[in-house]
Amino acid sequence: METGNPRNRVRIFAQFTGIFILGMVIGAVIYNGIFHLSYNQLWIENKDLQIELNQALDEMKTMKKFSKRQTIIKSIKIRVEESEHTLDAVASKEIVQKLQEELQVLRGRSMFEIDTDAKMARTFLNRKIYIVREKEFSVQIKTMLVSEGVLQIWIEVKPYVRS
């Protein structure tokens, strides 16, 4: 076969063009994957900062409102316990944010009367179902601790399985 034949030139040109286009497609797929990973990380970090900002604003309002009283709950910190069910960071952050909003009623309450409020919160929120990103999660309060005006709550989050 000689390379001067027009059919051979067209075939070689088509092969190089196909390889070039395949390289472009593979490059676009790799770029898209990297872009989505970095965007997801940025979105998670943004969610963290939004939660921190909302919490700081709420604490500031509480501090202004109850600056004279030392024995009240000024801040609420929620911690998600590690369990055998791995939970993605975004779902965890959204559940914590929803729980923070529901527990705002405890802010400004006396630390010495927290037992009645904690019982109410525990029964109200025990096994509560949250829908995050089209998935259902069950939240259970494990521990509540009040120290120096900070109510710390440890929760366990599991995927909800309908029985």
Side-chain angles (χ1 to χ4, degrees), residues 57-90:
L57 290 173
D58 289 340
E59 286 177 20
M60 187 176 73
K61 287 177 189 174
T62 305
M63 296 277 192
K64 283 181 181 177
K65 190 175 182 181
F66 301 107
S67 63
K68 306 285 189 251
R69 296 175 54 196
Q70 298 297 321
T71 60
I72 62 161
I73 297 172
K74 297 174 184 162
S75 175
I76 300 172
K77 305 268 187 215
I78 299 174
R79 303 180 198 290
V80 179
E81 287 185 350
E82 296 293 325
S83 66
E84 68 271 3
H85 304 287
T86 56
L87 186 65
D88 67 346
V90 176

PDB file of all heavy atoms in Angstrom, residues 57-90:
ATOM      1  N   LEU A  57     -24.666  35.009  65.031  1.00  0.00           N
ATOM      2  CA  LEU A  57     -25.698  36.047  65.099  1.00  0.00           C
ATOM      3  C   LEU A  57     -26.713  35.750  66.198  1.00  0.00           C
ATOM      4  O   LEU A  57     -27.118  36.657  66.939  1.00  0.00           O
ATOM      5  CB  LEU A  57     -26.408  36.183  63.747  1.00  0.00           C
ATOM      6  CG  LEU A  57     -25.581  36.795  62.609  1.00  0.00           C
ATOM      7  CD1 LEU A  57     -26.348  36.705  61.293  1.00  0.00           C
ATOM      8  CD2 LEU A  57     -25.211  38.227  62.933  1.00  0.00           C
ATOM      9  N   ASP A  58     -27.104  34.481  66.308  1.00  0.00           N
ATOM     10  CA  ASP A  58     -28.044  34.108  67.370  1.00  0.00           C
ATOM     11  C   ASP A  58     -27.426  34.311  68.752  1.00  0.00           C
ATOM     12  O   ASP A  58     -28.094  34.786  69.677  1.00  0.00           O
ATOM     13  CB  ASP A  58     -28.485  32.656  67.207  1.00  0.00           C
ATOM     14  CG  ASP A  58     -29.396  32.462  66.009  1.00  0.00           C
ATOM     15  OD1 ASP A  58     -29.985  33.451  65.544  1.00  0.00           O
ATOM     16  OD2 ASP A  58     -29.508  31.308  65.543  1.00  0.00           O
ATOM     17  N   GLU A  59     -26.145  33.954  68.893  1.00  0.00           N
ATOM     18  CA  GLU A  59     -25.470  34.148  70.177  1.00  0.00           C
ATOM     19  C   GLU A  59     -25.371  35.628  70.516  1.00  0.00           C
ATOM     20  O   GLU A  59     -25.543  36.023  71.675  1.00  0.00           O
ATOM     21  CB  GLU A  59     -24.082  33.521  70.139  1.00  0.00           C
ATOM     22  CG  GLU A  59     -24.091  32.019  70.209  1.00  0.00           C
ATOM     23  CD  GLU A  59     -22.694  31.421  70.101  1.00  0.00           C
ATOM     24  OE1 GLU A  59     -21.697  32.133  70.350  1.00  0.00           O
ATOM     25  OE2 GLU A  59     -22.605  30.229  69.765  1.00  0.00           O
ATOM     26  N   MET A  60     -25.105  36.448  69.505  1.00  0.00           N
ATOM     27  CA  MET A  60     -24.991  37.878  69.745  1.00  0.00           C
ATOM     28  C   MET A  60     -26.327  38.460  70.201  1.00  0.00           C
ATOM     29  O   MET A  60     -26.384  39.259  71.146  1.00  0.00           O
ATOM     30  CB  MET A  60     -24.528  38.591  68.470  1.00  0.00           C
ATOM     31  CG  MET A  60     -24.216  40.059  68.678  1.00  0.00           C
ATOM     32  SD  MET A  60     -23.570  40.844  67.208  1.00  0.00           S
ATOM     33  CE  MET A  60     -25.052  40.930  66.209  1.00  0.00           C
ATOM     34  N   LYS A  61     -27.431  38.020  69.570  1.00  0.00           N
ATOM     35  CA  LYS A  61     -28.758  38.489  69.992  1.00  0.00           C
ATOM     36  C   LYS A  61     -29.041  38.069  71.426  1.00  0.00           C
ATOM     37  O   LYS A  61     -29.566  38.842  72.227  1.00  0.00           O
ATOM     38  CB  LYS A  61     -29.833  37.927  69.064  1.00  0.00           C
ATOM     39  CG  LYS A  61     -29.860  38.562  67.704  1.00  0.00           C
ATOM     40  CD  LYS A  61     -30.905  37.891  66.837  1.00  0.00           C
ATOM     41  CE  LYS A  61     -30.823  38.329  65.407  1.00  0.00           C
ATOM     42  NZ  LYS A  61     -31.739  37.581  64.537  1.00  0.00           N
ATOM     43  N   THR A  62     -28.698  36.818  71.752  1.00  0.00           N
ATOM     44  CA  THR A  62     -28.927  36.315  73.106  1.00  0.00           C
ATOM     45  C   THR A  62     -28.079  37.075  74.111  1.00  0.00           C
ATOM     46  O   THR A  62     -28.551  37.416  75.197  1.00  0.00           O
ATOM     47  CB  THR A  62     -28.610  34.807  73.173  1.00  0.00           C
ATOM     48  OG1 THR A  62     -29.377  34.134  72.185  1.00  0.00           O
ATOM     49  CG2 THR A  62     -28.922  34.241  74.527  1.00  0.00           C
ATOM     50  N   MET A  63     -26.830  37.326  73.742  1.00  0.00           N
ATOM     51  CA  MET A  63     -25.938  38.055  74.666  1.00  0.00           C
ATOM     52  C   MET A  63     -26.478  39.456  74.938  1.00  0.00           C
ATOM     53  O   MET A  63     -26.453  39.920  76.072  1.00  0.00           O
ATOM     54  CB  MET A  63     -24.534  38.174  74.062  1.00  0.00           C
ATOM     55  CG  MET A  63     -23.844  36.875  73.865  1.00  0.00           C
ATOM     56  SD  MET A  63     -23.074  36.370  75.378  1.00  0.00           S
ATOM     57  CE  MET A  63     -22.068  35.051  74.766  1.00  0.00           C
ATOM     58  N   LYS A  64     -26.955  40.129  73.905  1.00  0.00           N
ATOM     59  CA  LYS A  64     -27.501  41.469  74.103  1.00  0.00           C
ATOM     60  C   LYS A  64     -28.749  41.411  74.972  1.00  0.00           C
ATOM     61  O   LYS A  64     -28.948  42.231  75.853  1.00  0.00           O
ATOM     62  CB  LYS A  64     -27.852  42.105  72.756  1.00  0.00           C
ATOM     63  CG  LYS A  64     -26.672  42.623  71.999  1.00  0.00           C
ATOM     64  CD  LYS A  64     -27.117  43.257  70.697  1.00  0.00           C
ATOM     65  CE  LYS A  64     -25.952  43.759  69.889  1.00  0.00           C
ATOM     66  NZ  LYS A  64     -26.373  44.322  68.594  1.00  0.00           N
ATOM     67  N   LYS A  65     -29.581  40.432  74.688  1.00  0.00           N
ATOM     68  CA  LYS A  65     -30.864  40.331  75.385  1.00  0.00           C
ATOM     69  C   LYS A  65     -30.691  39.950  76.853  1.00  0.00           C
ATOM     70  O   LYS A  65     -31.386  40.469  77.729  1.00  0.00           O
ATOM     71  CB  LYS A  65     -31.733  39.299  74.665  1.00  0.00           C
ATOM     72  CG  LYS A  65     -33.161  39.248  75.121  1.00  0.00           C
ATOM     73  CD  LYS A  65     -33.928  38.282  74.236  1.00  0.00           C
ATOM     74  CE  LYS A  65     -35.382  38.213  74.600  1.00  0.00           C
ATOM     75  NZ  LYS A  65     -36.107  37.269  73.759  1.00  0.00           N
ATOM     76  N   PHE A  66     -29.770  39.041  77.127  1.00  0.00           N
ATOM     77  CA  PHE A  66     -29.608  38.519  78.488  1.00  0.00           C
ATOM     78  C   PHE A  66     -28.225  38.818  79.060  1.00  0.00           C
ATOM     79  O   PHE A  66     -27.655  38.007  79.775  1.00  0.00           O
ATOM     80  CB  PHE A  66     -29.827  36.997  78.491  1.00  0.00           C
ATOM     81  CG  PHE A  66     -31.179  36.584  78.006  1.00  0.00           C
ATOM     82  CD1 PHE A  66     -31.328  35.991  76.762  1.00  0.00           C
ATOM     83  CD2 PHE A  66     -32.304  36.781  78.792  1.00  0.00           C
ATOM     84  CE1 PHE A  66     -32.573  35.594  76.305  1.00  0.00           C
ATOM     85  CE2 PHE A  66     -33.551  36.387  78.335  1.00  0.00           C
ATOM     86  CZ  PHE A  66     -33.686  35.800  77.093  1.00  0.00           C
ATOM     87  N   SER A  67     -27.683  39.976  78.771  1.00  0.00           N
ATOM     88  CA  SER A  67     -26.324  40.286  79.217  1.00  0.00           C
ATOM     89  C   SER A  67     -26.194  40.379  80.740  1.00  0.00           C
ATOM     90  O   SER A  67     -25.120  40.156  81.278  1.00  0.00           O
ATOM     91  CB  SER A  67     -25.845  41.582  78.568  1.00  0.00           C
ATOM     92  OG  SER A  67     -26.669  42.658  78.981  1.00  0.00           O
ATOM     93  N   LYS A  68     -27.270  40.683  81.417  1.00  0.00           N
ATOM     94  CA  LYS A  68     -27.216  40.840  82.875  1.00  0.00           C
ATOM     95  C   LYS A  68     -27.309  39.506  83.611  1.00  0.00           C
ATOM     96  O   LYS A  68     -26.903  39.410  84.752  1.00  0.00           O
ATOM     97  CB  LYS A  68     -28.357  41.747  83.346  1.00  0.00           C
ATOM     98  CG  LYS A  68     -28.404  43.088  82.661  1.00  0.00           C
ATOM     99  CD  LYS A  68     -27.324  44.001  83.175  1.00  0.00           C
ATOM    100  CE  LYS A  68     -27.509  45.405  82.646  1.00  0.00           C
ATOM    101  NZ  LYS A  68     -26.523  45.803  81.671  1.00  0.00           N
ATOM    102  N   ARG A  69     -27.846  38.500  82.950  1.00  0.00           N
ATOM    103  CA  ARG A  69     -28.052  37.209  83.614  1.00  0.00           C
ATOM    104  C   ARG A  69     -26.933  36.242  83.233  1.00  0.00           C
ATOM    105  O   ARG A  69     -26.599  36.082  82.073  1.00  0.00           O
ATOM    106  CB  ARG A  69     -29.402  36.619  83.202  1.00  0.00           C
ATOM    107  CG  ARG A  69     -30.554  37.496  83.681  1.00  0.00           C
ATOM    108  CD  ARG A  69     -31.887  37.037  83.208  1.00  0.00           C
ATOM    109  NE  ARG A  69     -32.168  35.649  83.536  1.00  0.00           N
ATOM    110  CZ  ARG A  69     -33.131  34.960  82.973  1.00  0.00           C
ATOM    111  NH1 ARG A  69     -33.906  35.510  82.064  1.00  0.00           N
ATOM    112  NH2 ARG A  69     -33.342  33.709  83.312  1.00  0.00           N
ATOM    113  N   GLN A  70     -26.361  35.599  84.226  1.00  0.00           N
ATOM    114  CA  GLN A  70     -25.235  34.696  83.999  1.00  0.00           C
ATOM    115  C   GLN A  70     -25.646  33.231  83.909  1.00  0.00           C
ATOM    116  O   GLN A  70     -24.880  32.407  83.445  1.00  0.00           O
ATOM    117  CB  GLN A  70     -24.216  34.851  85.140  1.00  0.00           C
ATOM    118  CG  GLN A  70     -23.622  36.228  85.229  1.00  0.00           C
ATOM    119  CD  GLN A  70     -22.831  36.585  83.982  1.00  0.00           C
ATOM    120  OE1 GLN A  70     -22.143  35.760  83.426  1.00  0.00           O
ATOM    121  NE2 GLN A  70     -22.959  37.830  83.550  1.00  0.00           N
ATOM    122  N   THR A  71     -26.840  32.904  84.360  1.00  0.00           N
ATOM    123  CA  THR A  71     -27.222  31.496  84.466  1.00  0.00           C
ATOM    124  C   THR A  71     -28.200  31.065  83.369  1.00  0.00           C
ATOM    125  O   THR A  71     -29.112  30.290  83.622  1.00  0.00           O
ATOM    126  CB  THR A  71     -27.852  31.236  85.847  1.00  0.00           C
ATOM    127  OG1 THR A  71     -29.006  32.066  85.969  1.00  0.00           O
ATOM    128  CG2 THR A  71     -26.865  31.486  86.962  1.00  0.00           C
ATOM    129  N   ILE A  72     -28.012  31.550  82.187  1.00  0.00           N
ATOM    130  CA  ILE A  72     -28.899  31.165  81.090  1.00  0.00           C
ATOM    131  C   ILE A  72     -28.103  30.459  80.000  1.00  0.00           C
ATOM    132  O   ILE A  72     -26.878  30.541  79.947  1.00  0.00           O
ATOM    133  CB  ILE A  72     -29.625  32.386  80.482  1.00  0.00           C
ATOM    134  CG1 ILE A  72     -28.610  33.350  79.902  1.00  0.00           C
ATOM    135  CG2 ILE A  72     -30.523  33.051  81.482  1.00  0.00           C
ATOM    136  CD1 ILE A  72     -29.208  34.300  78.915  1.00  0.00           C
ATOM    137  N   ILE A  73     -28.834  29.806  79.137  1.00  0.00           N
ATOM    138  CA  ILE A  73     -28.210  29.154  77.980  1.00  0.00           C
ATOM    139  C   ILE A  73     -28.023  30.218  76.914  1.00  0.00           C
ATOM    140  O   ILE A  73     -28.976  30.788  76.403  1.00  0.00           O
ATOM    141  CB  ILE A  73     -29.097  28.005  77.454  1.00  0.00           C
ATOM    142  CG1 ILE A  73     -29.221  26.940  78.530  1.00  0.00           C
ATOM    143  CG2 ILE A  73     -28.530  27.432  76.169  1.00  0.00           C
ATOM    144  CD1 ILE A  73     -30.212  25.860  78.194  1.00  0.00           C
ATOM    145  N   LYS A  74     -26.763  30.490  76.598  1.00  0.00           N
ATOM    146  CA  LYS A  74     -26.448  31.527  75.625  1.00  0.00           C
ATOM    147  C   LYS A  74     -26.119  30.943  74.262  1.00  0.00           C
ATOM    148  O   LYS A  74     -26.261  31.612  73.251  1.00  0.00           O
ATOM    149  CB  LYS A  74     -25.260  32.353  76.124  1.00  0.00           C
ATOM    150  CG  LYS A  74     -25.544  33.084  77.410  1.00  0.00           C
ATOM    151  CD  LYS A  74     -24.321  33.768  77.935  1.00  0.00           C
ATOM    152  CE  LYS A  74     -24.639  34.403  79.279  1.00  0.00           C
ATOM    153  NZ  LYS A  74     -23.456  34.716  80.032  1.00  0.00           N
ATOM    154  N   SER A  75     -25.663  29.712  74.252  1.00  0.00           N
ATOM    155  CA  SER A  75     -25.208  29.113  72.997  1.00  0.00           C
ATOM    156  C   SER A  75     -25.594  27.638  72.958  1.00  0.00           C
ATOM    157  O   SER A  75     -25.639  26.984  74.004  1.00  0.00           O
ATOM    158  CB  SER A  75     -23.685  29.252  72.896  1.00  0.00           C
ATOM    159  OG  SER A  75     -23.203  28.584  71.773  1.00  0.00           O
ATOM    160  N   ILE A  76     -25.869  27.151  71.766  1.00  0.00           N
ATOM    161  CA  ILE A  76     -26.204  25.737  71.583  1.00  0.00           C
ATOM    162  C   ILE A  76     -25.241  25.148  70.556  1.00  0.00           C
ATOM    163  O   ILE A  76     -25.153  25.646  69.435  1.00  0.00           O
ATOM    164  CB  ILE A  76     -27.657  25.563  71.103  1.00  0.00           C
ATOM    165  CG1 ILE A  76     -28.624  26.146  72.132  1.00  0.00           C
ATOM    166  CG2 ILE A  76     -27.958  24.097  70.840  1.00  0.00           C
ATOM    167  CD1 ILE A  76     -30.062  26.199  71.673  1.00  0.00           C
ATOM    168  N   LYS A  77     -24.519  24.130  70.957  1.00  0.00           N
ATOM    169  CA  LYS A  77     -23.571  23.449  70.069  1.00  0.00           C
ATOM    170  C   LYS A  77     -24.073  22.023  69.843  1.00  0.00           C
ATOM    171  O   LYS A  77     -24.342  21.299  70.798  1.00  0.00           O
ATOM    172  CB  LYS A  77     -22.176  23.372  70.691  1.00  0.00           C
ATOM    173  CG  LYS A  77     -21.602  24.689  71.112  1.00  0.00           C
ATOM    174  CD  LYS A  77     -20.793  25.293  70.017  1.00  0.00           C
ATOM    175  CE  LYS A  77     -20.101  26.519  70.579  1.00  0.00           C
ATOM    176  NZ  LYS A  77     -19.970  27.579  69.659  1.00  0.00           N
ATOM    177  N   ILE A  78     -24.197  21.653  68.588  1.00  0.00           N
ATOM    178  CA  ILE A  78     -24.662  20.305  68.248  1.00  0.00           C
ATOM    179  C   ILE A  78     -23.520  19.557  67.593  1.00  0.00           C
ATOM    180  O   ILE A  78     -22.885  20.056  66.669  1.00  0.00           O
ATOM    181  CB  ILE A  78     -25.884  20.376  67.310  1.00  0.00           C
ATOM    182  CG1 ILE A  78     -27.034  21.105  68.006  1.00  0.00           C
ATOM    183  CG2 ILE A  78     -26.296  18.978  66.876  1.00  0.00           C
ATOM    184  CD1 ILE A  78     -28.220  21.356  67.149  1.00  0.00           C
ATOM    185  N   ARG A  79     -23.280  18.354  68.091  1.00  0.00           N
ATOM    186  CA  ARG A  79     -22.210  17.512  67.549  1.00  0.00           C
ATOM    187  C   ARG A  79     -22.816  16.192  67.085  1.00  0.00           C
ATOM    188  O   ARG A  79     -23.611  15.591  67.797  1.00  0.00           O
ATOM    189  CB  ARG A  79     -21.150  17.260  68.599  1.00  0.00           C
ATOM    190  CG  ARG A  79     -20.548  18.526  69.164  1.00  0.00           C
ATOM    191  CD  ARG A  79     -19.500  18.215  70.207  1.00  0.00           C
ATOM    192  NE  ARG A  79     -19.174  19.322  71.068  1.00  0.00           N
ATOM    193  CZ  ARG A  79     -18.523  20.415  70.712  1.00  0.00           C
ATOM    194  NH1 ARG A  79     -18.158  20.566  69.476  1.00  0.00           N
ATOM    195  NH2 ARG A  79     -18.250  21.359  71.590  1.00  0.00           N
ATOM    196  N   VAL A  80     -22.414  15.776  65.914  1.00  0.00           N
ATOM    197  CA  VAL A  80     -22.900  14.514  65.362  1.00  0.00           C
ATOM    198  C   VAL A  80     -21.902  13.427  65.741  1.00  0.00           C
ATOM    199  O   VAL A  80     -20.715  13.530  65.422  1.00  0.00           O
ATOM    200  CB  VAL A  80     -23.053  14.585  63.824  1.00  0.00           C
ATOM    201  CG1 VAL A  80     -23.538  13.267  63.268  1.00  0.00           C
ATOM    202  CG2 VAL A  80     -24.007  15.701  63.442  1.00  0.00           C
ATOM    203  N   GLU A  81     -22.395  12.401  66.455  1.00  0.00           N
ATOM    204  CA  GLU A  81     -21.532  11.285  66.842  1.00  0.00           C
ATOM    205  C   GLU A  81     -21.247  10.400  65.638  1.00  0.00           C
ATOM    206  O   GLU A  81     -22.095  10.206  64.779  1.00  0.00           O
ATOM    207  CB  GLU A  81     -22.210  10.435  67.923  1.00  0.00           C
ATOM    208  CG  GLU A  81     -22.247  11.070  69.266  1.00  0.00           C
ATOM    209  CD  GLU A  81     -22.812  10.136  70.330  1.00  0.00           C
ATOM    210  OE1 GLU A  81     -23.342   9.066  69.976  1.00  0.00           O
ATOM    211  OE2 GLU A  81     -22.722  10.487  71.504  1.00  0.00           O
ATOM    212  N   GLU A  82     -20.049   9.868  65.618  1.00  0.00           N
ATOM    213  CA  GLU A  82     -19.685   8.917  64.563  1.00  0.00           C
ATOM    214  C   GLU A  82     -20.418   7.605  64.829  1.00  0.00           C
ATOM    215  O   GLU A  82     -20.545   7.169  65.962  1.00  0.00           O
ATOM    216  CB  GLU A  82     -18.174   8.666  64.561  1.00  0.00           C
ATOM    217  CG  GLU A  82     -17.357   9.894  64.233  1.00  0.00           C
ATOM    218  CD  GLU A  82     -17.557  10.373  62.811  1.00  0.00           C
ATOM    219  OE1 GLU A  82     -17.736   9.523  61.915  1.00  0.00           O
ATOM    220  OE2 GLU A  82     -17.546  11.596  62.603  1.00  0.00           O
ATOM    221  N   SER A  83     -20.912   6.997  63.773  1.00  0.00           N
ATOM    222  CA  SER A  83     -21.588   5.715  63.914  1.00  0.00           C
ATOM    223  C   SER A  83     -21.185   4.837  62.743  1.00  0.00           C
ATOM    224  O   SER A  83     -20.408   5.235  61.886  1.00  0.00           O
ATOM    225  CB  SER A  83     -23.112   5.904  63.952  1.00  0.00           C
ATOM    226  OG  SER A  83     -23.568   6.396  62.714  1.00  0.00           O
ATOM    227  N   GLU A  84     -21.740   3.632  62.727  1.00  0.00           N
ATOM    228  CA  GLU A  84     -21.405   2.709  61.639  1.00  0.00           C
ATOM    229  C   GLU A  84     -22.001   3.161  60.317  1.00  0.00           C
ATOM    230  O   GLU A  84     -21.586   2.735  59.259  1.00  0.00           O
ATOM    231  CB  GLU A  84     -21.856   1.280  61.960  1.00  0.00           C
ATOM    232  CG  GLU A  84     -23.353   1.090  62.009  1.00  0.00           C
ATOM    233  CD  GLU A  84     -23.977   1.328  63.379  1.00  0.00           C
ATOM    234  OE1 GLU A  84     -23.271   1.698  64.324  1.00  0.00           O
ATOM    235  OE2 GLU A  84     -25.183   1.134  63.495  1.00  0.00           O
ATOM    236  N   HIS A  85     -22.969   4.072  60.375  1.00  0.00           N
ATOM    237  CA  HIS A  85     -23.581   4.600  59.153  1.00  0.00           C
ATOM    238  C   HIS A  85     -22.823   5.861  58.740  1.00  0.00           C
ATOM    239  O   HIS A  85     -22.838   6.849  59.460  1.00  0.00           O
ATOM    240  CB  HIS A  85     -25.053   4.954  59.391  1.00  0.00           C
ATOM    241  CG  HIS A  85     -25.853   3.814  59.911  1.00  0.00           C
ATOM    242  ND1 HIS A  85     -26.219   2.755  59.127  1.00  0.00           N
ATOM    243  CD2 HIS A  85     -26.328   3.555  61.149  1.00  0.00           C
ATOM    244  CE1 HIS A  85     -26.908   1.898  59.857  1.00  0.00           C
ATOM    245  NE2 HIS A  85     -26.985   2.359  61.090  1.00  0.00           N
ATOM    246  N   THR A  86     -22.143   5.791  57.631  1.00  0.00           N
ATOM    247  CA  THR A  86     -21.416   6.964  57.171  1.00  0.00           C
ATOM    248  C   THR A  86     -22.407   7.956  56.583  1.00  0.00           C
ATOM    249  O   THR A  86     -23.297   7.605  55.825  1.00  0.00           O
ATOM    250  CB  THR A  86     -20.366   6.584  56.109  1.00  0.00           C
ATOM    251  OG1 THR A  86     -21.017   5.904  55.033  1.00  0.00           O
ATOM    252  CG2 THR A  86     -19.285   5.712  56.701  1.00  0.00           C
ATOM    253  N   LEU A  87     -22.252   9.180  56.972  1.00  0.00           N
ATOM    254  CA  LEU A  87     -23.149  10.251  56.565  1.00  0.00           C
ATOM    255  C   LEU A  87     -22.319  11.284  55.832  1.00  0.00           C
ATOM    256  O   LEU A  87     -21.258  11.691  56.318  1.00  0.00           O
ATOM    257  CB  LEU A  87     -23.776  10.863  57.821  1.00  0.00           C
ATOM    258  CG  LEU A  87     -24.856  11.896  57.649  1.00  0.00           C
ATOM    259  CD1 LEU A  87     -26.088  11.266  56.985  1.00  0.00           C
ATOM    260  CD2 LEU A  87     -25.246  12.470  58.985  1.00  0.00           C
ATOM    261  N   ASP A  88     -22.764  11.703  54.655  1.00  0.00           N
ATOM    262  CA  ASP A  88     -21.976  12.690  53.930  1.00  0.00           C
ATOM    263  C   ASP A  88     -22.022  14.029  54.650  1.00  0.00           C
ATOM    264  O   ASP A  88     -22.945  14.331  55.401  1.00  0.00           O
ATOM    265  CB  ASP A  88     -22.404  12.804  52.468  1.00  0.00           C
ATOM    266  CG  ASP A  88     -23.795  13.379  52.279  1.00  0.00           C
ATOM    267  OD1 ASP A  88     -24.543  13.455  53.265  1.00  0.00           O
ATOM    268  OD2 ASP A  88     -24.128  13.746  51.142  1.00  0.00           O
ATOM    269  N   ALA A  89     -21.000  14.818  54.440  1.00  0.00           N
ATOM    270  CA  ALA A  89     -20.827  16.061  55.183  1.00  0.00           C
ATOM    271  C   ALA A  89     -21.967  17.044  54.938  1.00  0.00           C
ATOM    272  O   ALA A  89     -22.394  17.749  55.853  1.00  0.00           O
ATOM    273  CB  ALA A  89     -19.488  16.700  54.819  1.00  0.00           C
ATOM    274  N   VAL A  90     -22.454  17.088  53.725  1.00  0.00           N
ATOM    275  CA  VAL A  90     -23.518  18.046  53.394  1.00  0.00           C
ATOM    276  C   VAL A  90     -24.799  17.701  54.154  1.00  0.00           C
ATOM    277  O   VAL A  90     -25.433  18.573  54.754  1.00  0.00           O
ATOM    278  CB  VAL A  90     -23.771  18.058  51.875  1.00  0.00           C
ATOM    279  CG1 VAL A  90     -24.937  18.963  51.531  1.00  0.00           C
ATOM    280  CG2 VAL A  90     -22.519  18.507  51.142  1.00  0.00           C
TER     281      VAL A  90
END
